[in-house]
Structures are given as structure tokens and as C-alpha cells.
């Protein structure tokens, strides 16, 4: 019988009870007495000079309480980029101010330049339209295409900058000459130009924020859809509004998905706080879906040229990448790290390639800001690598499986420092590849292909092997690389007098199942039932100063902080037990919830120790404090490095170009697994997002900077019948060597590994059918596939 | 959405009267109208629901004709138009369950979205659109994207479909909306074959007359193999080029013939 509790058990998610019965508590579910409503006036044009804002038009309209414009915020701070990146020439990146409301110019469709607060949402919306109609915005030519943006310095997104480039980054610059030389003298070079398509995050819950101000104390409260309430508090308080941090509470209650887009601080959060202070009443804003499309930070959007140099047997000699990365109109908080340190440092993949160089130019355009989206930089790196390797195999007539095998790092090579600076601690890439081949029944492919052919379908098989750096930390390293924040995490474990436990964590759960999985770990460590453990997250007034959830960091960073705090509680418990059992502390053992004196039958239960901690009658108070509560901050020594091998089989309809995914197999190494069911769910979700990117999703702006895919009528989200059952395995585990839990992180894996597997499979199908097609850019829509076949 | 008055008359006559009011707009399922109102792109002051008119609901069969009340939902057509299986199957493939439970045939035809399914069935069957004032042949009803022969205030009350010997509708989904990127309705009658195409043309639903001639001579996919669909008037957008849609017209016509 499988385990039903503890580490490694597929414990059912406790959070599902409220999520599946409609009793969750999301920001928009919360109504504060006297609450007013904010609606933003957003630019209809991609690029324009604000001649006048028709704020007067709203004055006196029914229900209108206040109007804000960019003028009201021109003297407060801007929303900063979280990482300072330097160009190859040593210059710091260009960092234009990102205001709460646009002032002087609007820079993308949806850019808010005014806001109305009214008694009701409808009244605010009507007034916002009146302001929009009365405003004069002189339209300027839109800057949309990155190449044009770099070429034309006369038309600039930010007038104060000399051109539209944010930075021109080389990694590692010292490798450059050596890589150039290696490519020049290599027996074979494969070159591939590709686009990593722009994606819109589409969390199920749109962004929403409620601002409150308490005049009696001068305190503020922001309830908001955030993946990291402390980071939001820091940005709003210290950088934008200048509120003392201790006077602002940020609460992120239930949050319906983020995928990166809710890491960042957005101007709407600052606005509702400023409005709440001015009006002395709560102010709520909830995005409409169309606002989400226009203003949530988008993902990806890279234009890349990658070259792979190798010998004629397919042994890799060098990778060289030139990428243009779109950052949109303003720098979102992680916009500068995503295409650089989360992308360039992964460009060695799981391979023992000696020469790697990456150049990334980031470009301002009149489009929504672009930032980290599930995987963040690592899907872009994996896609470039796995596509160019696939192309090379076809050019040289080599077997893609064998080429991976001969280039993989081998287990004896760890720890291994790549040419792009990461130190992989452990892994076994041959094992995951073999497992994927076995589970995906690669041996049976030819028979399945024949069966597809008999139905008139073209079958193909695609392989992708991937590695990522996650568990985003450590502060020492990221500080050197330009991070302006630390990337530790924190947890407080409070054992209550009656023996149950409240665990306050810095990580934030917006779909990740922390409430279940963290309780499994604490329960196992304390030897107490998981039902007596509560995981508290999302409220800066309750939790320690952690950094939130993104970059597959919750378990590897915050989970380890929590385990460390549990260790401290056990150590304190031993002191209390030694006192109660009249023994030396060194004689106390703790196991299965019982403190005992070594070699005796004298013992106290966890509950008895807890009670005694809070009823400390007869305590030696000089040497033993009452209470049983400990906090730990944990800052890891390194990133963690999950890796895996994905195999996708597709059927292509040659008459229509439609791609159906016949099967998808994942063999991943996540290190130790706490809850297999949750891990499988994470991989399923990630793979579906990756399939969405590969086949369906595309954020498209036209030449005027209008978002053509601004609704579900044109932006294709993957649905249940677009995806197959996904075979998931995580048995090839090499535990992380630098955290005690031995965990690596699984949240982004599926979205990282799957797009190249799908695209490689489609190209395999087409080439087997005699169509010499090197590449098709994602998404591989029926029209694109058919057009490539009939070019 | 801004405030509006809502009325739900019980007879066609009362509905016609209500629609005469300033800013009145008929509501028949609202699968297009209500999202448009939420975006404030439509701001009727009076919504006249046609759902309360019993005479406009239901499916009936008489001789070789299936008549569908204009306020009949897609779900009901899918379930009850068993005498015309191709029509029932088409209705069962529109949108999702929620859309099929609200959307109506009359609403869809009056809107005449160029990617809607029903216009192809009406035109492909040579059906008759019955209104409160007259009967309109399908060939006269559809007049280009979102344009029909309906006069201001005129209400579709029913649609009569002559049941063909064989028929089928094959739709290729637009990946995002799942409207028809292209859909083809083929119907074989004793006196010839009709082929109606939705989703593909800048001019809305149309009959592919070359295919009709070829299929009338020989009702098989092979009969159209030599035909070329010109792409000049085809829609080109991010979901498909004009040439792609022209290809789909031919591929789907062949598939519909095989399925019929």
C-alpha cells in the first residue's frame, strides 16, 4: 500500500477543498466597507505624446470621487528593474523611469495615463471613457519590430535615451574570441535563425488590488494578486510611494495562477494605495481580461541566431548565440535578468561543450513590458540548443539520441563548471534519456509510423534534453551578477501550546500546493499528524521576510529554511526535555514525535514538550527560555540543476497541416520528491504550457502596435483536447548536493523541455515524408505547417 | 455593461412592437451581443428577448421538411433535428455546451458572422428563412459579412430545411475561437448537389458552384480533385493565409462528400 502521509507520499491537496468548492478567498472576493472602484484610462495608441488629459470631463459625473493623472505621480519614485546589467563596453544598462501613470508620453496600447475612482465600477468605467474621449494624444509612429527599433534612432520609445537599446550584453565576454576561432576552424557549423514567440501569461485570475489607508495610525494595507508580497511591499513602499515599510502591509490571499506575471509590482497597486489615502476609503481595482492581455508582463519574444560547431561525428565544439530580446515599453522588475543570466548561463545545456558565447541585445518597443514567464530565459536557451542540435543531426545524418549521448556530461564529471559560469552539482543525463526512450517506446516507433501512414498521417518523433538552474538564489552569486535584492528565503515554525503547529513561510502558493507539501515535511520531521500543521503564507504582517515564489524556488529555498527552523525547534525541544527528564541535553534523542533519554524508557511526547514550553512552571529561566518558536533564513550555496529528457510523437495531417500530439513522455531528475502527485501535476501543467507555445500561442502586434491577439477569439490557449495524456517519470533522481532535503525544483521543467520536443517531432514527420524543411517558427499552426509543406 | 431595459414579449407581434422603440435591440441567445455589450461596443437601451415566444421554439418535421423555430437553441437542434442528421451534427459542434444552451439559430443567422456554422447549413440546404413579414430564400438572405436581407425590426421566426438525400458538414476549427476557420456543408438532393462554404471568404458564406456541378455529375471526393479554388477573395489573417483557406475549402469539401 502506498504511503498516505509523510515525505514521498502523494498526499491529496488540502487546498483543493476550498478551490474546488468555490470557497477560496481571492482579492476580488474581498469587499471592504465603503469600498470605491478604480478604472484606468488606457492608451488606445502604441506611441503618443500626451497633449492634454481630459480629467475635467469626469468632474461632476455620477459617482466620481477622484481623478488621478500622471501629473499626480511625477514627483514620486519609479518602479525599478531588479537587476542592473552592464553592456559589453562596461556601461550600465539604460533604465528609463517607469511611472505609476504615464506622463508626457504613452508608450504602449494599454499604458494607463489616468485613473478614475467612483462609487461603483460602472460609474468609474463611464467616467474613464469620458476622460479618454476628452484627452488629446498626438500619435507618433509605433516602434514594434526590434530590428527597426535598433536601426532607427530618430524614433525612440524613451526620448531621453540615445536609441532604443537597453543594453548589449556578452556572456562570457572573455570567451568571445576563442569561440569565434573555434567556429571558424570547425569541420561543420550549423546555423539556425529562430523566433521564440511572444506569449501572454493568462493566469486564470486577472490581476486585482485593494488599497486601504487607516488615518488613525497612518498605516496602509495592499491586498493584491502577488507571488511575493514582501518584494511588492519593498517596491511600493521604498521605491515608488516612499511609505515606510513598517507602515505598509501587503496581503496576497488566494491567487489564481501567476506563471511569473504576478511577481512584479505594477502601477495599479501604487494607484489604489494613493487613492485610498486621498479618499480615506478602500479602493479596489480588478482587471478585465482585455486589460490582462494588454498590461500583464508578456513572456519570451526573442529573435535568435544560433550556431553550433562540431566535428563530423557530431561532437560539439562551440555554441554561439546572438539574440535580440524585447523588453517592451518599460523595464519590468525581472526584465533585464530573464534574457541574460537566466538564459545565457544555460547555453551549455547538459553538454560538455568547451566553447560557448552568448550576445543579447535588449530592445525597447511600443509593446507591453516583457518579463519572466514560466521558465524565464531557460525555455529560450533550451529551445535554441535543442533545435540547432536537431538541425545538425539532420544535416550530418546522425542519430539525435546518439549525438546527445556522446555530448552529455557524465556523472563522474560533477561538480562541473560550464563555459558560461554555472557550477552543476550533480546529474545523470544518460539515465533520464534512457528512461524516456524506454517509457516512450522508441523501439516501437516505426510500427506506429506505419500505422499512421496507413491512415494518411505523417508521424514524427522529437527529442529534447534540458537542464535548468532553479531554486533561484544564492544572494552571494546573484549580487555579483547585478541583483538589487537578496534571494534567500525564510520560515518561522511556531509550535503552539496545545502541540499543533503554525508555519509562516516566505514562499507564496498560487497553485504550487505548499499548504499540503510543506506540512508533509514538518509532519515527518516532528512525527506529528499533518492535519495539525497549518502553513501560513501571503501576509507580510504574519510571515517572515521571504522573497516569494518564482524560479522553482519554493521548496529548494523556502522549504529548506522551514526544515532548518524545524531543526532549531527540535534542538530547543531537546533542551526542554533534558530539563523535564532531568538528563543532560546530549542524552536526549528525538524520534517519531518522542523525546527520550538515551538508554532509558524515560520520555516526553512532542505535545508534552510544547505544553511545557508555554507553561514554564519550574523552568531554569536563566538557561532556558519559554516558548517553542524558531525562525530560519536560508541562503543556498548554489542554484539547483534539475534536468531531463522529453520525447514527443506527433501526427501531421498533410492535407491541412494540423498537428496532433500522439504521445508525450517526460523523464525528469528533480532530486528527492516530496509529493509525487504534486510533481506530476506540475509537469503536466508545464508541458501543456509548452505545447501551447509550440502549437497555439502567439502574442501579435501589428505595425501600428495594436495587439491583434487581445482576446481568446484570437489568442489560442491550449485546451484539454489539444493535449495528450503525459507520461511522467522522476525515478532517475540525483539529489541536490547542497540542500539537506536533496530537492531541486519542478515547477518550470515542463515548460522548458517541451517546446523543442514538439517542434523537432513535427520537423521529423515532415522530413521523413520527403519535405526538406529546416525550421518552422512557433507556434506551428496548421496554416504555417501547410504553408511550409507547400512552399 | 451599461444599464438597459429588458423586455421578454410572449408573441411575435409584441416583439415587433417592442423593437420599434428607440435604441431597441433583439436578443436571441446573446452569444455575440452580450460580450459586445460588456465591452460597451453595443449600448442598446432596450433588449427585447425573443426567448419567451413559444411559437418560435422547437423542431418540427412535415413531409420532407424540417422546420426549426428561430429561438431554438443549438442544443435543442442537436438533440431533436434527428430527421436531418447533418444539421443536428452541425448544431452539436457549435461552440461549447454553454454556448449551445443559449445560442439560437435565428440569432446566429441574423448576425451572419462570416465564420458561423449555421449559414452554411441554410445556404447548403437551400433552406427558407421565414420572418414575421415574408419568406426569404437562402440564396437571397446572405448578403456578405454580417449583412443579411433582414429589414430594420424584422424578426426571423423559423427556418425550413428541405431534407437532402445525403449531407454532411465538416468544420476546421480556428485554433483560438473554435469558430470555423473554414467549414463546408455539402447536400445531395435528387436534382443536384449544393456546396456552401463558411469561414473562408471575405464575402461571407458562399456556394462553390464548380464543385456543385462536378458533384452533381458524380458524388465522390474524386470528382473535385481537379478543381482549383481561387484564393483571391479568401480571408487572410494570423490564423490562415488566403491560399491556406482555399486549400481547406477543397479538402473539407472532399471530406464532407465522403462523410455524407
Amino acid at each position: 500500500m502506498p504511503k498516505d502521509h509523510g515525505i514521498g507520499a502523494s498526499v491529496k491537496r488540502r487546498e483543493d477543498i476550498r478551490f474546488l468548492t468555490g470557497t477560496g478567498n481571492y482579492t476580488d472576493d474581498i469587499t471592504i466597507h465603503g469600498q470605491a472602484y478604480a478604472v484606468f484610462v488606457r492608451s488606445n495608441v502604441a506611441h503618443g505624446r500626451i497633449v492634454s488629459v481630459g480629467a475635467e470631463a469626469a468632474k461632476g459625473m455620477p459617482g466620481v470621487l477622484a481623478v488621478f493623472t500622471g501629473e499626480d505621480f511625477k514627483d514620486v519614485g519609479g518602479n525599478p528593474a531588479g537587476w542592473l546589467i552592464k553592456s559589453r563596453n562596461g556601461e550600465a544598462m539604460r533604465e528609463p523611469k517607469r511611472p505609476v501613470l504615464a506622463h508626457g508620453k504613452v508608450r504602449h496600447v494599454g499604458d494607463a495615463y489616468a485613473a478614475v475612482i467612483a462609487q461603483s465600477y460602472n460609474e468609474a468605467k463611464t467616467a474613464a471613457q469620458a476622460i479618454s474621449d476628452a484627452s488629446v494624444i498626438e500619435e507618433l509612429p509605433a516602434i514594434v519590430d526590434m530590428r527597426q527599433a535598433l536601426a532607427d534612432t530618430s524614433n525612440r520609445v524613451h526620448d531621453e535615451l540615445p536609441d532604443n537599446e537597453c543594453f548589449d550584453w556578452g556572456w562570457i565576454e572573455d570567451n568571445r574570441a576563442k569561440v569565434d576561432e573555434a567556429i571558424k576552424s570547425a569541420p561543420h557549423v550549423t546555423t539556425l535563425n529562430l523566433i521564440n514567440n511572444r506569449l501572454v501569461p493568462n493566469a486564470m485570475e486577472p490581476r486585482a488590488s485593494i488599497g486601504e489607508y487607516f488615518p488613525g495610525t497612518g498605516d496602509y494595507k495592499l491586498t493584491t494578486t502577488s507571488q511575493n508580497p514582501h518584494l511588492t511591499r519593498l517596491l511600493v513602499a521604498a521605491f515608488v510611494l516612499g511609505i515606510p515599510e513598517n507602515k505598509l502591509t501587503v496581503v496576497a490571499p488566494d491567487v489564481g495562477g501567476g506563471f511569473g506575471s504576478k511577481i512584479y509590482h505594477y502601477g495599479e497597486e501604487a494607484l489604489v494605495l494613493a487613492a485610498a489615502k486621498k479618499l480615506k476609503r478602500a479602493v479596489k481595482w480588478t482587471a478585465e481580461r482585455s486589460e490582462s492581455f494588454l498590461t500583464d508582463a508578456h513572456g519570451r519574444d526573442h529573435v535568435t541566431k544560433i550556431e553550433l560547431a562540431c566535428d563530423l561525428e557530431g561532437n560539439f565544439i562551440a555554441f554561439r548565440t546572438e539574440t535580440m530580446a524585447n523588453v517592451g515599453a518599460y523595464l519590468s522588475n525581472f526584465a533585464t535578468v530573464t534574457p541574460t543570466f537566466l538564459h545565457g548561463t544555460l547555453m551549455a545545456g547538459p553538454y560538455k561543450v568547451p566553447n560557448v558565447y552568448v550576445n543579447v541585445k535588449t530592445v525597447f518597443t511600443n509593446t507591453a513590458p516583457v518579463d519572466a514567464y514560466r521558465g524565464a530565459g531557460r525555455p529560450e536557451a533550451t529551445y535554441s540548443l535543442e533545435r540547432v542540435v536537431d538541425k545538425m543531426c539532420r544535416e550530418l545524418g546522425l542519430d539525435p539520441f546518439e549525438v546527445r549521448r556522446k555530448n552529455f556530461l557524465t556523472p563522474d564529471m560533477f561538480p562541473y563548471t560550464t563555459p558560461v559560469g554555472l557550477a552543476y552539482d550533480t546529474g545523470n543525463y544518460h539515465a533520464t534519456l534512457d528512461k524516456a526512450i524506454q517509457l516512450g517506446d522508441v523501439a516501437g516507433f516505426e510500427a506506429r509510423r506505419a500505422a499512421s501512414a496507413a491512415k494518411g498521417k505523417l508521424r514524427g518523433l522529437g527529442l529534447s534534453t534540458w537542464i535548468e538552474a532553479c531554486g533561484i538564489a544564492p544572494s552571494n552569486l546573484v549580487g555579483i551578477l547585478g541583483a538589487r535584492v537578496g534571494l534567500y528565503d525564510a520560515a518561522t515554525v511556531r509550535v503552539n501550546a496545545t502541540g499543533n503547529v503554525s508555519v509562516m513561510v516566505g514562499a507564496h502558493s498560487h497553485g504550487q500546493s505548499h499548504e499540503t507539501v510543506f506540512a508533509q515535511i514538518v509532519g515527518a520531521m516532528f512525527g506529528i499528524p499533518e492535519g495539525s500543521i497549518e502553513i501560513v503564507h501571503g501576509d507580510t504582517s504574519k510571515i517572515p521576510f521571504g522573497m516569494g515564489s518564482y524560479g522553482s524556488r519554493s521548496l529548494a529555498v523556502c522549504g529548506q529554511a522551514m526544515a532548518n527552523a524545524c531543526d532549531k525547534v527540535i534542538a530547543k525541544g531537546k533542551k526542554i526535555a533534558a530539563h523535564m527528564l532531568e538528563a543532560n541535553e546530549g542524552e536526549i534523542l528525538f524520534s517519531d514525535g518522542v523525546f527520550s533519554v538515551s538508554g532509558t524508557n524515560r520520555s516526553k511526547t512532542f505535545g508534552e514538550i510544547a505544553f511545557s514550553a508555554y507553561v514554564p512552571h519550574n523552568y531554569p529561566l536563566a538557561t532556558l527560555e519559554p516558548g517553542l518558536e524558531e525562525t530560519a533564513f536560508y541562503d543556498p550555496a548554489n542554484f539547483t540543476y534539475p534536468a531531463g529528457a522529453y520525447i514527443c510523437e506527433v501526427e501531421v495531417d498533410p492535407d491541412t497541416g494540423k498537428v496532433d500530439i500522439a504521445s508525450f513522455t517526460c523523464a525528469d531528475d528533480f532530486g528527492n520528491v516530496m509529493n509525487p502527485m504534486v510533481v506530476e501535476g506540475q509537469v503536466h501543467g508545464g508541458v501543456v504550457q509548452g505545447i501551447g507555445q509550440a502549437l497555439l500561442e502567439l502574442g501579435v502586434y501589428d505595425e501600428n502596435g495594436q495587439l491583434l491577439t487581445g482576446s481568446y477569439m484570437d489568442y489560442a490557449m491550449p485546451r484539454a483536447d489539444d493535449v495528450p495524456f503525459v507520461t511522467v517519470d522522476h525515478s532517475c533522481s540525483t539529489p541536490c548536493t547542497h540542500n539537506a532535503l536533496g530537492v531541486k525544483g519542478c515547477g518550470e521543467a515542463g515548460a522548458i523541455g517541451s517546446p523543442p520536443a514538439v517542434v523537432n517531432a513535427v520537423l521529423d514527420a515532415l522530413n521523413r515524408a520527403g519535405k526538406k524543411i529546416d525550421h518552422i517558427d512557433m507556434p506551428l499552426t496548421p496554416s504555417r505547417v501547410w504553408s511550409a509543406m507547400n512552399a | 455593461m451599461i444599464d438597459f431595459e429588458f423586455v421578454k414579449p410572449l408573441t411575435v407581434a409584441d416583439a415587433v412592437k417592442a423593437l420599434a422603440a428607440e435604441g431597441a435591440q433583439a436578443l436571441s441567445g446573446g452569444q455575440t451581443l452580450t460580450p459586445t455589450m460588456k465591452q460597451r461596443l453595443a449600448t442598446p437601451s432596450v433588449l427585447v428577448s425573443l426567448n419567451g415566444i413559444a411559437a418560435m421554439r422547437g423542431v418540427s418535421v412535415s413531409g420532407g421538411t424540417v422546420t426549426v423555430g428561430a429561438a431554438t437553441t443549438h442544443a435543442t437542434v442537436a438533440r431533436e433535428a434527428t430527421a436531418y442528421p447533418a444539421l443536428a451534427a452541425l448544431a452539436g459542434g457549435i461552440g461549447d455546451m454553454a454556448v449551445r444552451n443559449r445560442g439560437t439559430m435565428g440569432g446566429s443567422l441574423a448576425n451572419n458572422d462570416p465564420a458561423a456554422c449555421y449559414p452554411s447549413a441554410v445556404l447548403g440546404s437551400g433552406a427558407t428563412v421565414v420572418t414575421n413579414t415574408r419568406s426569404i430564400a437562402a440564396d437571397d438572405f446572405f448578403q456578405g459579412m454580417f449583412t443579411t436581407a433582414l429589414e430594420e425590426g424584422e424578426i426571423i421566426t423559423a427556418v425550413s430545411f428541405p431534407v437532402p438525400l445525403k449531407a454532411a458538414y465538416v468544420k476546421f476549427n480556428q485554433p483560438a475561437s473554435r469558430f470555423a476557420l473554414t467549414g463546408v456543408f455539402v447536400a445531395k438532393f435528387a436534382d443536384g448537389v449544393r456546396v456552401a462554404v463558411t469561414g473562408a471568404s471575405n464575402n461571407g458564406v458562399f456556394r462553390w458552384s464548380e464543385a456543385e456541378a462536378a458533384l452533381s455529375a458524380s458524388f465522390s471526393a474524386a470528382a473535385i480533385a481537379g478543381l482549383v479554388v481561387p484564393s483571391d477573395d479568401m480571408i487572410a489573417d494570423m490564423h490562415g493565409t488566403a491560399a491556406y483557406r482555399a486549400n481547406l475549402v477543397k479538402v473539407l469539401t472532399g471530406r464532407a462528400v465522403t462523410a455524407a
Side-chain angles (χ1 to χ4, degrees), chain A residues 642-673:
Chain A
Y646 288 3
I647 292 174
C648 175
E649 278 186 37
V650 298
E651 278 188 339
V652 180
D653 180 341
D655 296 331
T656 64
K658 183 165 193 316
V659 175
D660 284 314
I661 297 190
S663 68
F664 204 101
T665 306
C666 306
D668 292 309
D669 173 2
F670 297 132
N672 292 336
V673 167

Side-chain angles (χ1 to χ4, degrees), chain A residues 255-560:
Chain A
V255 174
F259 313 112
S261 70
K262 293 173 183 168
I263 298 172
Y264 327 115
H265 164 52
Y266 293 85
E268 291 90 352
E269 294 169 322
L271 188 284
V272 294
L273 283 172
K277 184 178 187 193
K278 179 170 179 175
L279 297 171
K280 308 281 187 289
R281 60 195 283 187
V283 175
K284 179 192 274 188
W285 167 75
T286 303
E288 298 183 356
R289 182 58 66 181
S290 52
E291 285 183 286
S292 302
F293 271 102
L294 292 173
T295 67
D296 287 3
H298 293 180
R300 317 284 192 256
D301 206 350
H302 285 196
V303 175
T304 291
K305 174 186 175 187
I306 181 164
E307 292 156 289
L308 159 58
C310 61
D311 66 20
L312 298 178
E313 283 75 52
N315 292 296
F316 300 164
I317 297 169
F319 289 113
R320 183 169 62 191
T321 305
E322 288 171 37
T323 285
M324 283 187 296
N326 201 337
V327 291
Y330 302 99
L331 291 181
S332 179
N333 301 137
F334 284 10
T336 56
V337 67
T338 299
T340 54
F341 291 110
L342 297 180
H343 162 243
T345 57
L346 273 302
M347 287 306 295
Y351 304 119
K352 52 189 177 195
V353 54
N355 302 292
V356 182
Y357 176 75
V358 183
N359 173 238
V360 177
K361 293 183 175 73
T362 44
V363 187
F364 291 109
T365 58
N366 292 123
T367 65
V370 180
D371 206 325
Y373 170 73
R374 200 169 192 171
R378 291 147 291 171
E380 293 90 320
T382 303
Y383 185 69
S384 297
L385 286 172
E386 295 304 291
R387 282 292 304 118
V388 78
V389 169
D390 194 69
K391 186 176 181 214
M392 181 273 280
C393 291
R394 194 164 291 118
E395 285 176 355
L396 294 181
L398 300 173
D399 175 59
F401 293 93
E402 284 314 310
V403 165
R404 260 74 169 204
R405 277 202 186 94
K406 71 171 70 170
N407 287 287
F408 275 159
L409 296 165
T410 50
D412 57 304
M413 296 173 78
F414 297 106
Y416 175 84
T417 300
T418 73
V420 272
L422 292 179
Y424 299 167
D425 62 336
T426 181
N428 188 342
Y429 313 135
H430 292 85
T432 46
L433 179 60
D434 290 344
K435 180 59 80 174
I437 289 170
Q438 177 211 331
L439 292 175
D441 186 27
V442 172
F445 172 72
E446 276 306 326
R448 292 190 294 276
R449 194 170 84 86
S452 296
K455 295 187 296 179
K457 297 286 175 65
L458 314 177
R459 199 176 187 101
L461 184 148
L463 168 67
S464 154
T465 56
W466 66 274
I467 184 168
E468 67 153 324
C470 70
I472 294 296
S475 299
N476 275 335
L477 178 58
V478 300
I480 293 166
L481 301 182
R484 288 164 164 165
V485 291
L487 284 171
Y488 53 86
D489 219 286
T492 296
V493 176
R494 175 181 301 153
V495 183
N496 298 312
T498 49
N500 53 36
V501 179
S502 305
V503 182
M504 282 63 75
V505 295
H508 183 271
S509 187
H510 34 280
Q512 291 87 344
S513 323
H514 298 166
E515 292 167 33
T516 301
V517 178
F518 285 10
Q520 288 177 252
I521 297 170
V522 174
M525 291 186 73
F526 287 164
I528 61 173
E530 286 155 20
S532 66
I533 301 155
E534 199 66 22
I535 306 298
V536 178
H537 60 95
D539 184 337
T540 60
S541 68
K542 294 179 180 169
I543 62 171
F545 201 130
M547 296 306 288
S549 290
Y550 42 83
S552 304
R553 70 191 304 275
S554 297
L555 186 58
V557 187
C558 187
Q560 188 60 51

